[in-house]
Amino acid sequence: MTLTLLTLNDRLETRENCRLFLQAWQKWRGGKVLPLRSDVRPEDLKAAMAAVSVWELKGDGKVMVRLGATLFEEQTGETRRGKNYLDLMPERIREQGMERLQPIVRVPCGIFADGCSLRLKDGRSLEFDILLLPVAEAPEQKPTFIYYGIDLADRAKPFDISEIDKGPFVTSTTHIDIGCGVPEP
């Protein structure tokens, strides 16, 4: 299944952070397919600012966290800024994590994943939805930044990152056509 920016907006009705993030991203891009880093105005995120992370695609299996969503960092007690996002994932799913990000670069598009969860060793889980949208450094360039918005289903009591037993699990990932199509399955 593919989403367009219009149909995505309908799916985000109850996901306040992702909806505000989408609105800001669309404002940043104006009439272009991709916004440029110089177009980004964090104040446009409004109340969703604490729910947005920024990743830089560095190549060689590195996805550097330039800004970590404080909403998620408060839950885990872990500061992610300056770390390779893939190193934060359990080793058994790192390759899958990198594969999921490749379409954003190959065919500039977005990704919406709902029903994600982290399971903790004590049996609790953290449920969330995510929205990933690309940003380029310069005109006519492939995206080098991914902006990542998150909506938590509820706020569990904070936990230490070492308490994660399994995850993240993404049950439904949908590509978003931002004007360039979407990757073939």
Side-chain angles (χ1 to χ4, degrees):
M1 182 174 126
T2 300
L3 288 170
T4 64
L5 292 172
L6 185 61
T7 57
L8 173 63
N9 199 42
D10 294 341
R11 299 242 339 240
L12 298 180
E13 187 176 321
T14 61
R15 296 163 176 97
E16 183 73 8
N17 293 328
C18 289
R19 187 175 51 74
L20 288 171
F21 166 44
L22 175 62
Q23 290 170 354
W25 184 87
Q26 288 180 300
K27 182 177 179 181
W28 301 337
R29 84 180 193 146
K32 303 180 296 283
V33 172
L34 290 175
L36 304 179
R37 266 188 78 203
S38 60
D39 298 323
V40 173
R41 300 287 175 261
E43 62 272 15
D44 293 335
L45 293 167
K46 300 176 184 167
M49 185 177 277
V52 175
S53 295
V54 179
W55 299 341
E56 183 178 6
L57 303 170
K58 300 290 276 184
D60 299 332
K62 292 192 177 175
V63 180
M64 301 307 295
V65 179
R66 294 296 171 214
L67 176 69
T70 55
L71 178 70
F72 193 77
E73 289 181 351
E74 286 172 358
Q75 289 295 130
T76 63
E78 178 186 48
T79 300
R80 294 172 166 231
R81 186 178 185 157
K83 296 180 180 176
N84 180 357
Y85 174 73
L86 298 175
D87 289 344
L88 300 172
M89 300 174 84
E91 193 170 331
R92 68 187 182 284
I93 61 170
R94 281 185 196 154
E95 187 174 322
Q96 178 187 24
M98 190 61 181
E99 286 174 14
R100 286 202 171 149
L101 297 177
Q102 291 308 307
I104 291 178
V105 176
R106 276 195 329 271
V107 179
C109 65
I111 295 175
F112 178 62
D114 54 349
C116 305
S117 67
L118 291 172
R119 191 167 64 213
L120 306 179
K121 291 176 182 172
D122 67 4
R124 292 181 296 145
S125 66
L126 180 66
E127 309 291 326
F128 55 97
D129 299 322
I130 57 176
L131 174 61
L132 292 88
L133 292 168
V135 173
E137 184 69 39
E140 309 304 319
Q141 267 191 352
K142 293 279 188 181
T144 50
F145 291 87
I146 297 173
Y147 282 59
Y148 173 112
I150 186 168
D151 268 292
L152 299 175
D154 60 6
R155 293 222 182 170
K157 72 177 188 176
F159 58 90
D160 187 275
I161 199 76
S162 66
E163 293 180 68
I164 295 175
D165 184 35
K166 297 195 176 182
F169 293 108
V170 178
T171 58
S172 173
T173 301
T174 308
H175 289 105
I176 305 157
D177 185 345
I178 62 170
C180 300
V182 293
E184 294 183 23

